[in-house]
Amino acid sequence: MAITSWIRTFPLVQYLIAWTQEIFMSVLKTGPVPQHVAFVMDGNRRFARRRKLEVREGHSAGFESLAHILEMCYQVGIKVVTVYAFSIENFKRPTVEVDALMEIARTKLLQIIHHGDLADRFGISIRVLGQRSMIPPDVLAAIDKSTEMTKRNTTAILNICFPYTSRDDIATSMREIVTKSEKHELDPETIDERLLEQHMFTKDCPPLDILVRTSGVERLSDFMLWQSHQNCTVEFVNCLWPEFEPWRFGSILLKWSRSKAVEFRKMEMERDQKQL
Ligand code: FPP
Ligand code: MG
């Protein structure tokens, strides 16, 4: 066991960590809070390799890390969280790993909808974005159950991208538009950025404010390509996803919140000067 994990087993240390986190959260809530945050949860296999664990255990540790981060997001007041849980490209990985990821998704989806678990505690509506036709029937059943059971929750949204790529998202949107156009349900002259956006998997979501990718790799890997434009802050973090602790995300939130506060003040000053 690593020394930091060992220290954390002491109740007093756990109490101090919880207390520090609560103070940190109160500070965060006083400033602007992002509406929509997305994560590329990268580095699970490297985490497993470094600790001589099975790949499946690396992904399980990744889910534990996700659960802590989600808790923090919804406590702070973030409305929508979008996570890259499985890329269409991930089907090219060894069958044993694909099966393990499918099994983690199936069991964890059923876990988070339990009474008193994440979805219930924070009023989260779960949505799974991507190609349903590629998902095995038992996992699809868990997806349908979790989305159905949480569809009336209105406080927050959890978008699980599975199996997803941005280029597929854009192509799917185009296909829907073409079908509607062929049925004369829309005029091709009206096709513009907004219409494409209205047919994408993230159609009902607020604009993406922050996109975080862990593991030190600095690329988007076909995730949120359309959504990460203009005002979206992209943060590449140099730690593996299972080691991405809430304080690391907290410092990203604090930085974003400070920069937004400065932006708002500047806009207010410009408006006041115009009125003089
Ligand atoms: C990327 O790390 C991670 C994944 C492909 C899977 C992430 C999935 C989870 C954390 C489980 C999510 C489950 C639910 C229900 C939301 P990698 O495998 O690319 O690791 P590496 O970069 O070290 O090779
Ligand atoms: Mg990776």
Side-chain angles (χ1 to χ4, degrees), residues 60-202:
S60 292
F63 178 80
E64 294 313 316
S65 179
L66 173 63
H68 290 133
I69 294 295
L70 287 177
E71 195 150 321
M72 177 169 185
C73 287
Y74 298 124
Q75 270 173 8
V76 167
I78 294 168
K79 291 274 174 257
V80 183
V81 180
T82 303
V83 296
Y84 207 5
F86 195 91
S87 153
I88 292 175
E89 293 296 308
N90 289 156
F91 279 114
K92 293 178 185 156
R93 291 190 178 188
T95 312
V96 62
E97 184 182 352
V98 173
D99 290 349
L101 278 165
M102 291 293 160
E103 182 58 12
I104 291 172
R106 191 185 69 77
T107 53
K108 296 303 178 186
L109 272 168
L110 296 176
Q111 179 194 309
I112 58 182
I113 56 168
H114 271 170
H115 178 65
D117 211 303
L118 209 65
D120 184 29
R121 276 172 57 216
F122 296 103
I124 304 165
S125 158
I126 296 171
R127 298 174 184 181
V128 178
L129 317 184
Q131 282 307 334
R132 281 177 66 87
S133 61
M134 296 176 172
I135 302 173
D138 59 332
V139 185
L140 211 47
I143 289 174
D144 289 342
K145 185 170 180 188
S146 59
T147 48
E148 180 61 28
M149 273 184 71
T150 61
K151 73 176 182 201
R152 275 173 216 92
N153 290 349
T154 52
T155 313
I157 293 173
L158 170 60
N159 288 325
I160 301 175
C161 295
F162 182 102
Y164 173 95
T165 59
S166 268
R167 286 177 302 166
D168 180 64
D169 190 0
I170 297 164
T172 305
S173 162
M174 273 310 298
R175 212 165 30 243
E176 266 183 44
I177 292 172
V178 170
T179 308
K180 281 189 184 170
S181 164
E182 280 171 353
K183 289 185 189 163
H184 304 287
E185 288 172 13
L186 64 81
D187 176 2
E189 286 298 315
T190 62
I191 299 174
D192 60 5
E193 287 175 21
R194 225 166 56 100
L195 195 76
L196 245 98
E197 214 153 63
Q198 283 165 358
H199 288 80
M200 291 178 73
F201 295 133
T202 48

Side-chain angles (χ1 to χ4, degrees), residues 42-43 45-46 93 213 215:
D42 197 26
R45 289 183 301 184
R46 274 167 281 171
R93 291 190 178 188
R213 180 180 184 143
S215 93

